[in-house]
Amino acid sequence: MIRTGVVGATGYAGAELVRILAGHPEVFLTVLTSRRYAGVPFEKVYPAMSGMIDLVCEAYDESRICEKADVIFLALPHKLPMGFVPGLLKQGKKVIDLSADFRFSDLGVYESLYQPHTAKDLCARAVYGLCEVFPERIKGSDLIANPGCYPTSVLLPLFPLVKHRLIDPDTIIADSKSGVSGAGRSLSLTTHFCEADESFKAYKVGGHRHKPEMEEKLSLAAGKPVKITFVPHLLPMTRGMETTIYADLAREVKEADIEACFREFYAGRRFIRLTDQHRPPDTLHVRGTNLCDIGFVVEKDKGRIILMSVIDNLVKGAAGQAVQNMNIMLGFDEAAGLEFIPYAV
Amino acid sequence: MIRTGVVGATGYAGAELVRILAGHPEVFLTVLTSRRYAGVPFEKVYPAMSGMIDLVCEAYDESRICEKADVIFLALPHKLPMGFVPGLLKQGKKVIDLSADFRFSDLGVYESLYQPHTAKDLCARAVYGLCEVFPERIKGSDLIANPGCYPTSVLLPLFPLVKHRLIDPDTIIADSKSGVSGAGRSLSLTTHFCEADESFKAYKVGGHRHKPEMEEKLSLAAGKPVKITFVPHLLPMTRGMETTIYADLAREVKEADIEACFREFYAGRRFIRLTDQHRPPDTLHVRGTNLCDIGFVVEKDKGRIILMSVIDNLVKGAAGQAVQNMNIMLGFDEAAGLEFIPYAV
Amino acid sequence: MIRTGVVGATGYAGAELVRILAGHPEVFLTVLTSRRYAGVPFEKVYPAMSGMIDLVCEAYDESRICEKADVIFLALPHKLPMGFVPGLLKQGKKVIDLSADFRFSDLGVYESLYQPHTAKDLCARAVYGLCEVFPERIKGSDLIANPGCYPTSVLLPLFPLVKHRLIDPDTIIADSKSGVSGAGRSLSLTTHFCEADESFKAYKVGGHRHKPEMEEKLSLAAGKPVKITFVPHLLPMTRGMETTIYADLAREVKEADIEACFREFYAGRRFIRLTDQHRPPDTLHVRGTNLCDIGFVVEKDKGRIILMSVIDNLVKGAAGQAVQNMNIMLGFDEAAGLEFIPYAV
Amino acid sequence: MIRTGVVGATGYAGAELVRILAGHPEVFLTVLTSRRYAGVPFEKVYPAMSGMIDLVCEAYDESRICEKADVIFLALPHKLPMGFVPGLLKQGKKVIDLSADFRFSDLGVYESLYQPHTAKDLCARAVYGLCEVFPERIKGSDLIANPGCYPTSVLLPLFPLVKHRLIDPDTIIADSKSGVSGAGRSLSLTTHFCEADESFKAYKVGGHRHKPEMEEKLSLAAGKPVKITFVPHLLPMTRGMETTIYADLAREVKEADIEACFREFYAGRRFIRLTDQHRPPDTLHVRGTNLCDIGFVVEKDKGRIILMSVIDNLVKGAAGQAVQNMNIMLGFDEAAGLEFIPYAV
């Protein structure tokens, strides 16, 4: 049985990893770290899981972690992982990093958005862990850069269509809406209950750091540089992300071509569901699961497509996809530990 | 003092009219009608207003209404108003209709969306009551077609820019999000608490009846036919509507041109607020008020503008704008009875 | 492998049964009935479960159900089950009824609250399925009356203390708060989003039909008739039920006695968790699970105990406990199919 | 026209004072202070009120405040007001303090709960500003201790009944539920959106500092020491507080006696509404207003009364009652500036 550890286990993505790994049939959870809660039993930090997780949070200690775990998940703020990854890889561990540190091929873009990179040589080794798009590359990897939540919700509906040139990549506009848990557990006025409840608003308009991440991967699909318009918004709910995407169809492309493209590209992928044309995807239908529901409508008169996707930002947008990456890396069923059936309500 | 009546007082728009008119300094509320609650005191239907409204709901009776009221608000389902309006106008009443019945200049469009029209001769007489855009026409009118909530949130940010040719009207995409009260008080699974709570989704993608309404008015602004893409979504909250709009800028247009256009077009209009570039409009900031906050960001590299507007769908999107229309028709301060200060939270 | 069927599968309790049974390791789900949706695939009624449940809803047909299933769950409105149960039992099926029809020993009470009973002879045969309290009786039964949600949340903290005479049963006051899903999927103004959102209120004060159900079982624990005060309230959230209970302690009873009583009574019961004295139970910590968290505080100066319990009304308060009953009846691990780990948030 | 100032204007109670005073017909708002936001325009702190409040937050400066304002509201954390009040009174100002500093007659109790008192001589001069209970004393006062939100919701239904000996004060149990805004604008995990959303729980069970405040005032009503049981809970909504109270009726007391007592005690008080017996008070019905709705049910068989009250914790529970106190002190209509009509939804 594989042993797994979570570094940064007490943020929301970390805690979601704990929830999923604790119920995973093929792995053990053996070590949890937390700067803030070192020495505190995990179940005291998250009493929801009381009686179910008997690990105590520890300070980060490379040799101890390497001794205890075979696969290590890093659920840390950006910049920290690039300091930890080299050592972990040197000891032969498999690493899945949920931060942005290893997501970019173009280090210049990374450094302009985040900070100077201190493990540049490893960037080429890292595989961008968008599971349904790069499964083969993930299979052979020992360092996964787990995609951001917004990029996941934008790329899953767009990648197949851009790759197969069914839409014009220069016309893409993505209007995303995220539940508050996407902002994490750190306190701020924006995530204070009274300021988020019964409120809806855009934020970081035109300037969110997930946009260049999307653009790099879409450029890869298009085989040429792609720039998009992306606006994130904050929803008055905890979990869930919806993205509505607008793009011009390539010449002569019909509804049936779109559907066929999706069906082929995602054939056999259990976490992608195409929704009925008359029932747009609903965040509630994927809550707590690793699913991504995708729907679309073609506006014939304008030659435009409207794509809609929904995910749970903490699962498919973070911890769930990370575990799916592990499953693929280790040759497990990709759905192992992730077969959550959505609630009716 | 002017006497006012509300026909269809027990739906949400009707009840909001009651709330606003009951506190209006220049008018009396003298008659309320309701098919369903005829004979029932209004305060029994809405115990929130217990002790504040002493009228009893009545069945619709034209002669009685005309005897009791000078200005009549119709807050009814589509199709009913076109049966009532001719009689009310004949008796010299001023009428403000919140339905779609008199919103269209092009009756063919109306009839294709709703039903055959039975008062066609009055359509030309009706003025589309978008207060900040058509104040002069409203002033002299006795029949106002009060705009829909989505059209209000879309037209207020777009009309000035289209009219002054600062954007290319053929590229407009409007992504709207509405609180549940927009769907009214009629019961449905969509508005059942458990199905809307913690849920976000698009609906009527590409096919909402408010789209042709927007298009007709934008065509007027553009001086040529305009078609847009419009997608409404349902928010897990009661009141509030946000619209994010994407459009290509006309050649050479700069941020300062946009700002100048808004400042001039809406000079002196108390219900329009331009928000700071770094703080996108927030539905919570206009909740319960007749305000429309507008923000924008220019994407220079793409030559595109992102516009954002927020309103309270029941106030500026329905009852508040209706009262504002009355104020303008009667020569009152346009803000009379509408000077609600938003809550901090 | 055991085959199971759900009669009334499209209400919220029925759909929750489907969710749980579909993931249960020891049983198959073979038949679903629904009056309203007969002939419709279940996944069309609940698109959240699209791709996961391939059954089509059927009209109720006793012989067909008996042919298809070994254990039958009835998730129907009161009165219907008493018509179906006799036939099912006659065919040797095990039946778990989620309605009130078989919950009462005293038929006079049942008939005064609901309606005349048409299967009186079976009432004595039915076992009240409060799993942690009556496990032995459940084990040998073929007809389980699954407890109501409020009774479950009230009885689990009270039963041990009343039985061991640590509190005075004549002083019990239970103040309960329920999420909206407790009211089911039927449409009503009370459960209309806009009327429940940002609202909190009591309802059926002093007259809820679950009160006599609690009283009958508490009387059993006390060995004498017990009457309590019970007030239910409606919370602006979908799932979750909290009950705060007040009672006078019996003479000389100390905090440690209470704790010891709970620890002994619920020894080995995995779904009961005693919370830390400084952290009262939180509905969020049991959401989606079969857990019941119990906390208490002793007010020494008044000789009074304050008990708090939380459950998910659809799981431990309905479908989860029903499956737990099945597990006990069939000799499975009582947690089979119910080992949900709560979300962090 | 009277000039008013708010010290501590940027917390939620302070901002609510600003909202109400800005719309008050008899007063001007002339000065706002804020430690944290000194030098910042108020409308930048609360962009919801942009364009409506043109004051800049200042640091606290006694002489400047006294020069600018006649009535001063203190919306500060406990302990600060006792330092400011002596100086303000010396300069002849009228002071309304929203903290606990001057609420207690028994300083020993205050000091055991909060801290040593540094303005003891003024405590006897302060009047407890529960407007409908102590209007005469308020009228002549220059120092008002504005009641806490929980005490307001508990005392308004209880005071008349205890004073007229209709209930046994030794049996009182108050189960309160508060919206999150009661915890203020300070950041904490408890008020982080994701931890409060879809969650309900008790807190500070048996030990909330508002309990002794209630007990002191109830003792005054009873003419003897009264101890009660009080449990506060946190609701997943922003505004609103409901309290359900249980008490034994005094001998021979009937429903009609209770109703008569309320009708007489609160005769002519516009902010108290008795609700229909079949419609328990709903927090939504008083949202944003200074109203307190009270309902009750008598359990004849147990000789017990169930009382329910609802208020908006930020209005009647804080800023609204503070303004009402000012109105009474200055001889205005007690409802001046407070005539908000509740929303239908």
Side-chain angles (χ1 to χ4, degrees):
Chain A
M1 198 108 145
I2 297 290
R3 300 165 309 150
T4 62
V6 178
V7 177
T10 57
Y12 287 153
E16 192 74 0
L17 278 165
V18 172
R19 167 175 88 95
I20 296 171
L21 293 169
H24 196 289
E26 310 280 357
V27 309
F28 279 131
L29 188 57
T30 54
V31 60
L32 303 178
T33 85
S34 166
R35 269 191 299 191
R36 185 162 173 195
Y37 295 103
V40 181
F42 182 82
E43 64 173 15
K44 293 287 174 197
V45 185
Y46 283 103
M49 297 188 221
S50 189
M52 296 172 169
I53 310 292
D54 61 359
L55 296 169
V56 175
C57 297
E58 309 176 16
Y60 185 84
D61 175 332
E62 184 182 293
S63 62
R64 186 170 149 74
I65 288 164
C66 289
E67 190 189 311
K68 293 279 234 172
D70 311 305
V71 178
I72 292 139
F73 293 88
L74 303 178
L76 294 166
H78 309 305
K79 190 156 198 179
L80 287 176
M82 65 172 88
F84 296 164
V85 165
L88 296 170
L89 289 181
K90 212 167 286 169
Q91 301 218 29
K93 300 301 167 184
K94 289 191 186 295
V95 178
I96 298 165
D97 176 23
L98 281 75
S99 85
D101 281 9
F102 296 93
R103 288 183 195 152
F104 288 83
S105 301
D106 185 338
L107 272 171
V109 174
Y110 176 86
E111 295 195 333
S112 72
L113 294 168
Y114 297 90
Q115 67 264 318
H117 207 293
T118 61
K120 295 187 188 181
D121 51 319
L122 293 177
C123 289
R125 181 164 165 190
V127 170
Y128 189 72
L130 191 66
C131 300
E132 283 79 7
V133 173
F134 305 113
E136 290 309 315
R137 302 193 54 207
I138 292 163
K139 206 170 292 182
S141 174
D142 60 0
L143 174 57
I144 296 292
N146 206 58
C149 49
Y150 285 120
T152 299
S153 86
V154 165
L155 294 171
L156 287 175
L158 277 178
F159 203 95
L161 306 188
V162 169
K163 189 174 174 66
H164 292 283
R165 301 179 193 277
L166 299 184
I167 60 173
D168 174 356
D170 293 331
T171 62
I172 295 169
I173 291 170
D175 188 290
S176 288
K177 303 87 179 175
S178 174
V180 180
S181 61
R185 206 187 196 206
S186 301
L187 304 180
S188 74
L189 261 187
T190 305
T191 57
H192 193 56
F193 185 86
C194 305
E195 314 261 334
D197 180 44
E198 298 286 303
S199 155
F200 182 79
K201 57 190 159 284
Y203 69 99
K204 291 192 189 161
V205 179
H208 197 285
R209 297 193 297 191
H210 279 175
K211 187 179 119 159
E213 182 182 333
M214 302 170 196
E215 288 174 337
E216 182 176 277
K217 307 314 166 190
L218 288 173
S219 300
L220 192 69
K224 64 169 191 174
V226 171
K227 294 282 176 198
I228 69 167
T229 291
F230 168 66
V231 178
H233 303 73
L234 194 63
L235 284 166
M237 56 193 232
T238 296
R239 286 166 177 257
M241 172 172 287
E242 195 267 0
T243 297
T244 302
I245 299 166
Y246 306 88
D248 289 354
L249 289 170
R251 219 184 255 219
E252 306 285 314
V253 170
K254 295 195 176 52
E255 206 172 284
D257 302 321
I258 301 294
E259 175 143 0
C261 175
F262 279 130
R263 297 230 175 264
E264 187 177 356
F265 198 94
Y266 290 130
R269 311 316 305 235
R270 293 159 60 184
F271 294 124
I272 307 285
R273 301 191 297 190
L274 283 191
T275 64
D276 189 305
Q277 289 254 359
H278 299 294
R279 204 190 276 271
D282 183 336
T283 61
L284 191 61
H285 295 174
V286 300
R287 200 174 192 272
T289 79
N290 200 49
L291 294 161
C292 175
D293 283 2
I294 297 174
F296 69 93
V297 168
V298 165
E299 288 197 311
K300 279 186 209 161
D301 60 333
K302 300 193 81 77
R304 189 173 279 159
I305 189 169
I306 301 163
L307 290 156
M308 292 148 289
S309 74
V310 294
I311 59 171
D312 181 321
N313 53 296
L314 289 180
V315 189
K316 187 63 175 168
Q321 185 153 250
V323 171
Q324 188 183 1
N325 272 305
M326 178 192 73
N327 288 342
I328 297 171
M329 290 164 93
L330 300 181
F332 299 153
D333 175 350
E334 82 172 331
L338 293 166
E339 302 183 270
F340 306 113
I341 301 175
Y343 301 168
V345 291
Chain B
M1 200 108 144
I2 298 291
R3 299 165 309 150
T4 62
V6 178
V7 176
T10 57
Y12 287 154
E16 192 73 1
L17 277 166
V18 171
R19 169 177 86 94
I20 295 172
L21 292 170
H24 196 291
E26 311 281 353
V27 308
F28 279 129
L29 189 57
T30 53
V31 60
L32 303 178
T33 84
S34 166
R35 270 189 300 191
R36 187 164 171 196
Y37 295 103
V40 180
F42 181 82
E43 65 173 16
K44 292 290 174 194
V45 184
Y46 283 104
M49 297 188 221
S50 189
M52 295 171 170
I53 310 293
D54 61 358
L55 295 170
V56 175
C57 298
E58 310 175 18
Y60 184 83
D61 175 333
E62 184 183 293
S63 61
R64 185 171 149 75
I65 289 165
C66 288
E67 189 189 313
K68 292 279 234 170
D70 310 306
V71 178
I72 293 141
F73 294 87
L74 304 179
L76 295 167
H78 308 305
K79 191 155 196 179
L80 286 177
M82 64 172 88
F84 296 165
V85 166
L88 296 170
L89 289 181
K90 212 166 285 167
Q91 301 218 28
K93 300 301 166 184
K94 290 189 184 297
V95 177
I96 297 165
D97 175 24
L98 281 75
S99 85
D101 281 10
F102 296 93
R103 288 182 196 154
F104 287 82
S105 299
D106 185 337
L107 272 171
V109 175
Y110 176 86
E111 295 195 333
S112 72
L113 294 166
Y114 296 89
Q115 66 265 319
H117 208 293
T118 61
K120 294 186 189 183
D121 51 317
L122 293 177
C123 288
R125 182 165 165 188
V127 170
Y128 189 71
L130 192 65
C131 299
E132 282 80 7
V133 173
F134 303 113
E136 290 309 314
R137 298 192 58 206
I138 292 164
K139 206 170 291 180
S141 174
D142 58 2
L143 174 57
I144 296 291
N146 205 58
C149 48
Y150 285 120
T152 298
S153 87
V154 166
L155 294 172
L156 286 175
L158 276 179
F159 203 95
L161 306 187
V162 169
K163 188 174 175 66
H164 291 285
R165 302 179 191 278
L166 300 183
I167 61 173
D168 174 357
D170 293 330
T171 62
I172 294 168
I173 291 169
D175 189 292
S176 289
K177 302 88 177 174
S178 174
V180 180
S181 62
R185 206 187 195 204
S186 301
L187 304 179
S188 73
L189 260 187
T190 306
T191 57
H192 194 55
F193 185 86
C194 304
E195 313 261 334
D197 182 44
E198 298 286 303
S199 156
F200 182 78
K201 57 190 160 286
Y203 69 99
K204 292 190 188 163
V205 179
H208 196 284
R209 296 193 297 192
H210 279 175
K211 187 177 118 157
E213 182 183 332
M214 302 170 194
E215 290 174 336
E216 181 176 278
K217 308 314 166 189
L218 289 172
S219 299
L220 192 70
K224 64 169 189 172
V226 171
K227 294 282 176 199
I228 70 167
T229 291
F230 167 66
V231 178
H233 302 73
L234 194 63
L235 285 165
M237 56 193 232
T238 297
R239 283 167 178 255
M241 172 173 286
E242 196 266 359
T243 297
T244 302
I245 299 165
Y246 306 88
D248 288 355
L249 288 170
R251 217 185 259 218
E252 306 285 316
V253 170
K254 296 194 178 53
E255 206 173 285
D257 302 321
I258 302 293
E259 175 143 0
C261 175
F262 279 131
R263 296 232 176 265
E264 187 177 355
F265 198 94
Y266 291 130
R269 310 318 303 236
R270 293 159 61 184
F271 294 122
I272 306 286
R273 300 191 298 189
L274 284 191
T275 65
D276 189 304
Q277 289 254 359
H278 300 293
R279 201 189 279 272
D282 183 335
T283 60
L284 192 60
H285 295 174
V286 300
R287 199 174 193 272
T289 78
N290 200 49
L291 294 161
C292 175
D293 283 1
I294 297 173
F296 69 93
V297 167
V298 165
E299 288 197 311
K300 279 187 209 159
D301 61 333
K302 300 194 81 77
R304 189 174 280 160
I305 188 168
I306 300 163
L307 291 156
M308 291 149 288
S309 74
V310 293
I311 59 171
D312 181 320
N313 53 296
L314 289 182
V315 189
K316 186 64 176 171
Q321 184 152 250
V323 171
Q324 188 183 359
N325 271 306
M326 177 192 73
N327 289 342
I328 297 173
M329 289 163 94
L330 299 181
F332 299 153
D333 175 351
E334 82 172 330
L338 293 166
E339 302 182 89
F340 306 112
I341 301 174
Y343 301 168
V345 290
Chain C
M1 200 105 147
I2 296 291
R3 300 166 308 150
T4 62
V6 178
V7 176
T10 57
Y12 287 151
E16 192 74 1
L17 278 165
V18 171
R19 168 175 88 93
I20 296 171
L21 292 169
H24 195 290
E26 311 281 356
V27 308
F28 280 131
L29 188 57
T30 53
V31 60
L32 303 179
T33 84
S34 167
R35 269 189 301 189
R36 184 161 173 198
Y37 295 103
V40 180
F42 182 81
E43 66 174 14
K44 293 287 174 197
V45 185
Y46 283 103
M49 296 187 221
S50 189
M52 296 173 169
I53 310 293
D54 62 359
L55 296 170
V56 175
C57 298
E58 310 175 18
Y60 185 83
D61 175 332
E62 185 182 293
S63 62
R64 186 170 148 74
I65 289 165
C66 289
E67 189 190 312
K68 293 279 233 170
D70 311 305
V71 177
I72 293 140
F73 293 88
L74 304 179
L76 295 166
H78 309 304
K79 189 157 198 178
L80 287 175
M82 65 172 88
F84 296 164
V85 166
L88 296 170
L89 290 182
K90 212 167 287 169
Q91 301 219 27
K93 301 300 167 183
K94 289 191 186 295
V95 178
I96 298 166
D97 175 24
L98 281 76
S99 83
D101 282 9
F102 296 93
R103 289 184 195 151
F104 288 82
S105 300
D106 184 337
L107 272 171
V109 174
Y110 177 85
E111 296 196 332
S112 71
L113 294 168
Y114 297 90
Q115 68 266 318
H117 208 295
T118 62
K120 293 186 190 185
D121 52 317
L122 293 176
C123 290
R125 183 165 166 189
V127 170
Y128 189 72
L130 191 66
C131 300
E132 284 79 7
V133 173
F134 304 113
E136 290 310 315
R137 300 192 57 205
I138 293 163
K139 205 169 291 182
S141 174
D142 58 2
L143 174 57
I144 296 292
N146 206 58
C149 48
Y150 285 120
T152 298
S153 87
V154 165
L155 293 172
L156 286 175
L158 277 179
F159 202 95
L161 306 188
V162 169
K163 188 173 173 68
H164 291 284
R165 301 181 192 278
L166 299 183
I167 60 173
D168 174 357
D170 292 330
T171 63
I172 295 169
I173 291 169
D175 188 290
S176 289
K177 302 89 179 177
S178 174
V180 180
S181 61
R185 208 188 194 203
S186 301
L187 305 180
S188 73
L189 261 186
T190 305
T191 58
H192 194 55
F193 185 86
C194 305
E195 315 262 332
D197 181 44
E198 298 285 303
S199 155
F200 182 79
K201 57 190 160 284
Y203 69 101
K204 290 191 189 161
V205 179
H208 196 285
R209 297 194 296 192
H210 280 174
K211 188 178 117 160
E213 182 182 334
M214 304 170 193
E215 288 173 337
E216 182 176 277
K217 307 315 166 189
L218 289 172
S219 299
L220 193 69
K224 63 167 191 176
V226 171
K227 293 284 176 196
I228 70 168
T229 291
F230 168 65
V231 178
H233 302 73
L234 194 64
L235 283 166
M237 56 193 233
T238 297
R239 283 166 179 258
M241 174 174 286
E242 196 265 1
T243 297
T244 302
I245 299 165
Y246 305 88
D248 289 353
L249 289 169
R251 221 185 256 218
E252 305 285 315
V253 171
K254 296 198 176 49
E255 206 171 286
D257 303 321
I258 301 293
E259 175 143 0
C261 175
F262 279 130
R263 298 230 173 265
E264 186 176 357
F265 198 94
Y266 291 129
R269 311 316 305 237
R270 294 159 61 184
F271 293 123
I272 306 285
R273 302 191 298 192
L274 282 191
T275 66
D276 189 303
Q277 288 255 357
H278 299 294
R279 204 190 276 272
D282 184 335
T283 60
L284 192 60
H285 295 176
V286 299
R287 201 173 191 274
T289 78
N290 201 48
L291 294 161
C292 175
D293 284 1
I294 297 173
F296 70 92
V297 168
V298 165
E299 289 198 310
K300 278 187 212 161
D301 59 332
K302 300 194 80 78
R304 189 174 280 161
I305 189 169
I306 300 163
L307 290 156
M308 291 149 288
S309 74
V310 293
I311 59 171
D312 181 321
N313 53 296
L314 289 180
V315 189
K316 187 62 175 171
Q321 184 152 253
V323 172
Q324 187 182 0
N325 272 306
M326 177 192 73
N327 289 342
I328 297 172
M329 289 163 94
L330 300 181
F332 300 153
D333 176 352
E334 81 171 330
L338 294 166
E339 302 183 90
F340 307 111
I341 301 175
Y343 302 168
V345 290
Chain D
M1 199 106 146
I2 296 291
R3 300 166 309 149
T4 62
V6 177
V7 176
T10 57
Y12 287 154
E16 192 73 2
L17 278 165
V18 171
R19 168 175 87 94
I20 296 171
L21 292 170
H24 195 290
E26 310 280 356
V27 308
F28 279 130
L29 189 57
T30 54
V31 60
L32 302 179
T33 84
S34 166
R35 270 190 299 191
R36 186 162 173 195
Y37 295 104
V40 180
F42 181 82
E43 65 174 16
K44 293 288 174 196
V45 185
Y46 282 103
M49 297 189 221
S50 189
M52 294 171 171
I53 310 291
D54 61 359
L55 296 170
V56 174
C57 297
E58 310 175 19
Y60 185 83
D61 176 332
E62 183 182 297
S63 63
R64 186 169 149 74
I65 288 164
C66 289
E67 191 189 312
K68 291 279 231 172
D70 310 305
V71 178
I72 293 138
F73 293 87
L74 304 178
L76 295 166
H78 307 305
K79 190 155 197 180
L80 286 176
M82 65 172 88
F84 295 165
V85 165
L88 295 171
L89 289 182
K90 211 168 286 168
Q91 300 219 29
K93 301 299 166 185
K94 288 189 186 297
V95 178
I96 297 165
D97 176 24
L98 281 74
S99 85
D101 282 9
F102 296 93
R103 288 184 195 151
F104 288 81
S105 300
D106 185 337
L107 273 171
V109 174
Y110 176 86
E111 295 195 333
S112 71
L113 294 167
Y114 296 89
Q115 65 265 317
H117 208 292
T118 61
K120 293 185 190 184
D121 51 317
L122 292 177
C123 288
R125 183 164 163 188
V127 170
Y128 189 72
L130 190 66
C131 299
E132 283 80 7
V133 173
F134 303 113
E136 290 309 316
R137 299 192 57 205
I138 292 163
K139 205 170 290 181
S141 174
D142 59 1
L143 174 56
I144 296 292
N146 206 57
C149 49
Y150 284 120
T152 298
S153 87
V154 166
L155 293 172
L156 286 175
L158 276 178
F159 202 95
L161 306 187
V162 170
K163 189 173 173 69
H164 291 285
R165 304 182 189 277
L166 299 184
I167 61 173
D168 174 358
D170 292 331
T171 62
I172 295 169
I173 290 170
D175 188 290
S176 288
K177 303 88 177 177
S178 175
V180 180
S181 62
R185 208 187 193 204
S186 301
L187 305 179
S188 73
L189 261 186
T190 305
T191 57
H192 194 54
F193 184 86
C194 305
E195 315 260 334
D197 182 43
E198 298 286 303
S199 154
F200 182 78
K201 57 191 160 284
Y203 69 100
K204 292 191 188 162
V205 179
H208 196 285
R209 296 194 296 192
H210 279 174
K211 186 176 118 160
E213 182 182 331
M214 301 169 196
E215 289 173 337
E216 183 176 277
K217 306 315 165 189
L218 288 173
S219 300
L220 193 68
K224 63 168 191 176
V226 171
K227 294 283 175 196
I228 70 169
T229 290
F230 167 66
V231 178
H233 302 73
L234 194 62
L235 284 166
M237 57 191 232
T238 297
R239 286 167 177 254
M241 172 172 287
E242 195 266 0
T243 297
T244 302
I245 299 166
Y246 306 87
D248 288 354
L249 289 169
R251 215 186 262 217
E252 306 285 314
V253 171
K254 297 197 178 50
E255 207 172 284
D257 302 320
I258 301 292
E259 175 143 359
C261 176
F262 279 131
R263 296 230 175 265
E264 186 178 356
F265 199 94
Y266 290 130
R269 310 317 304 234
R270 293 160 61 183
F271 293 123
I272 306 286
R273 299 191 299 191
L274 283 192
T275 65
D276 189 304
Q277 289 254 358
H278 300 292
R279 202 190 277 273
D282 183 335
T283 60
L284 192 61
H285 295 175
V286 300
R287 203 175 190 270
T289 77
N290 200 49
L291 294 161
C292 175
D293 284 1
I294 298 173
F296 70 93
V297 168
V298 165
E299 289 197 309
K300 277 186 210 161
D301 60 333
K302 299 193 81 78
R304 190 174 279 160
I305 188 169
I306 301 164
L307 290 156
M308 292 149 287
S309 74
V310 294
I311 58 171
D312 181 319
N313 53 295
L314 289 181
V315 189
K316 187 62 177 171
Q321 184 152 251
V323 171
Q324 187 183 359
N325 271 305
M326 176 191 74
N327 288 341
I328 297 172
M329 288 164 95
L330 299 181
F332 299 153
D333 175 351
E334 81 172 330
L338 293 166
E339 301 183 270
F340 307 112
I341 301 175
Y343 301 170
V345 291

